[in-house]
Structure formats: C-alpha cells, structure tokens
Amino acid sequence: MSDRRTTPANGGVAARHLEGVVSAARYVDGEAKAIAATAAFLRASPAGKPDRQVLLGESVLHYDTRDGWAFVQAAKDDYVGWVEVAALAKPHRPTHRVALRHTLAFAAPDVKSDMMLRPPFGARLQVTGTEGIWSKVIVPGQPQVFVRGDHLRPIDTVEDDPVEVARLFLGTPYLWAGNTGDGLDCSGLVQASLLACGVACPGDSDLIENAVGDPLPDGAVLQRGDLIFWKGHVALAMDADRIIHATAAPLAVVIENTATAIKRIETAGDGLPTSRKRIARLKSHGS
C-alpha cells in the first residue's frame, strides 16, 4: 500500500508515472516551482493539519490547484502535501545555501537598510555578485536582496558533522512539523542535520528509521552521529552518553543524557527505543 506522504496522488490528480498504479481522474507531469515564502507548511489537505515544511528556494513539483492551495511534492525528500499557491514562484537556479540558523536579507548592502527576508538554514539562494562582505541575492518571487556572504555556502558543498549542524538549533522551540530555527520537531532537526551533510533523509521519524543507516547490534556503544529511534521520535547521538533532539518535554532542542532520556520517555508511556542505527559515511566521527 502506498504511503500518502510520499505518493503524489490525491484522488483527483496523480503524477503521470503513477498511471496504472493508483487511481485518479487525471494524470499529469507536474510543473517545476520554487518556494517563495521563508517557509511553507506542507499540509495533508487544503488548509488541513501541517505535516512538514518546505523552505525558501527549495524545488517542488506542482500537480494540482484547489481553492488557492497547490498540491506539490518536495524535491528534497519526496514529501507531498498542500501549500498555499502564494508560496510558489517560477523555478530558479540556486547557487548557495544558508549555513546559519537564520540569516537576514536587506534591501541594500547596509544593515541600516530595510530588512526584507529572514532566510532559514538550508534556504537555497541565487548569488549574482558581491559588494564587499555582501552577496547580491535573487530569491524566488522577490526583488534582489543582500545577504552577508559568510552566512552562505556553495550549494554543492556539504557539512561533515550532523551533530554540529544540530547544535545550531539548540534552544529552538519544539514545533510539530517545523523545519526551521523558528521551530522544529525531532525529525525536522535530524533531517536538516543529515541533508546538510549530503545524507538523503526523509521527512518523518518512521520514514527515517526505515530508510537511513544500518542497524546496530544490541550492546553496541553509540557513536557521534548515530541515530536512536522510539515510536514517533528520533534523536542524534552526540557521543556514547548524550543525545541532541527536539523534544516536546521541554518544548525545545536540548542535549540530554541518553539513559535519562530513555527512562523519561519510557516512564511517560512512550516505550523503549525501537532501533539504533549508524550511517556508514559518518563512522569517522565516532570516538
């Protein structure tokens, strides 16, 4: 049975490659678009509950439109859902990504000029030139703005430690379905950290558990960058004894003793860890 979160079909419309696989009134190719909002929630239905977020400059395929809502599939992880049509713009050619928890985009290369946008970590921007410390930037659906160049990284570069990426978000409020420094959930934190390191990562904790890493045997000591899963939750190991995660307990991204977290989560009625996994390319970060 197909997973509605990653299957571009809504009953009325489906991706053309699904013809003969799922039932739909129409099958379409989808139109390439870019996200023009700082972040936009992907929703299970028009105006429905949020599932995940797509970020400024990210690519999506647009399959259907209904009452001001667009049915799209995100390029970064194949997640599908409905976003407001106003959040979409023509596709662009990003050259850089935001490497801080957030940066600020100004109308001119001057911190006293109007602040136009607040691009989040991972936002994809097109740099067209420089003026001193400033990068001239084009973002989808917006006029040219200026961002500090040292807040950006070339789009084809990756970070080498997901734990260091996750640490950027320490203290960020817990937000269901969030993917930015304004608020994120457990899978949002892990996904942002792994994608920044060039590791393909789905959008929800159960999808991550099924797709990412190799299972660790019972008794194996956790290493930096390992993943530990519970039903409906995921955390990153910082070392053998600590994890970093976005958790609803303090409603924030925190560092916590692993044994303490396991006991607390079990006591709350959410069970013991379901698996622990290691990502082969990150083994060098282990102690």
Side-chain angles (χ1 to χ4, degrees), residues 13 15 27 45 47 56 60 80-81 89 91 102 124 127 129-130 133 139 149 154 211 223 236 246 266 268 286:
V13 172
Y27 299 90
S45 59
L56 181 67
V60 298
V80 303
H102 285 98
R124 301 165 72 84
V127 173
T130 59
I133 64 170
V139 296
Q223 295 181 1
L236 268 170
E266 182 185 16

Side-chain angles (χ1 to χ4, degrees), residues 96-100 102-103 119-125 151-153:
H96 288 71
R97 58 181 174 83
V98 175
L100 303 184
H102 285 98
T103 189
F121 180 87
R124 301 165 72 84
L125 313 176
H151 292 187
L152 307 177
R153 299 286 184 273

Side-chain angles (χ1 to χ4, degrees), residues 49-273:
K49 77 174 187 70
D51 277 332
R52 283 260 57 86
Q53 280 181 315
V54 281
L55 310 181
L56 181 67
E58 289 185 341
S59 298
V60 298
L61 277 178
H62 179 195
Y63 287 104
D64 192 16
T65 303
R66 187 183 304 169
D67 298 326
W69 292 87
F71 183 69
V72 303
Q73 183 169 39
K76 67 180 175 185
D77 58 6
D78 292 334
Y79 217 107
V80 303
W82 295 86
V83 300
E84 293 178 275
V85 169
L88 299 181
K90 293 179 180 179
H92 76 142
R93 295 180 179 179
T95 60
H96 288 71
R97 58 181 174 83
V98 175
L100 303 184
R101 178 167 159 177
H102 285 98
T103 189
L104 299 178
F106 295 91
D110 181 353
V111 294
K112 296 181 181 179
S113 66
D114 290 340
M115 195 275 282
M116 308 298 289
L117 297 165
R118 192 166 178 257
F121 180 87
R124 301 165 72 84
L125 313 176
Q126 182 181 358
V127 173
T128 61
T130 59
E131 289 192 23
I133 64 170
W134 298 93
S135 291
K136 299 178 184 178
V137 169
I138 295 175
V139 296
Q142 305 284 344
Q144 178 178 273
V145 292
F146 291 83
V147 174
R148 275 198 59 124
D150 56 353
H151 292 187
L152 307 177
R153 299 286 184 273
I155 202 77
D156 58 353
T157 62
V158 296
E159 307 298 329
D160 63 3
D161 183 356
V163 172
E164 282 305 306
V165 177
R167 286 174 64 91
L168 292 174
F169 295 93
L170 276 173
T172 298
Y174 179 92
L175 175 66
W176 176 264
N179 280 74
T180 78
D182 286 327
L184 40 64
D185 62 11
C186 65
S187 50
L189 177 68
V190 168
Q191 186 187 54
S193 302
L194 293 184
L195 290 181
C197 293
V199 177
C201 184
D204 286 341
S205 60
D206 63 319
L207 298 174
I208 299 171
E209 186 172 17
N210 289 333
V212 179
D214 302 312
L216 288 171
D218 292 342
V221 176
L222 288 172
Q223 295 181 1
R224 190 177 182 89
D226 287 348
L227 300 172
I228 181 168
F229 295 90
W230 291 259
K231 184 178 180 180
H233 189 60
V234 60
L236 268 170
M238 295 190 69
D239 51 37
D241 301 310
R242 297 177 299 161
I243 56 173
I244 183 170
H245 58 156
T247 169
L251 283 178
V253 176
V254 296
I255 294 171
E256 191 172 5
N257 176 271
T258 306
T260 300
I262 290 172
K263 182 175 180 61
R264 174 179 59 75
I265 292 170
E266 182 185 16
T267 300
D270 294 322
L272 291 168

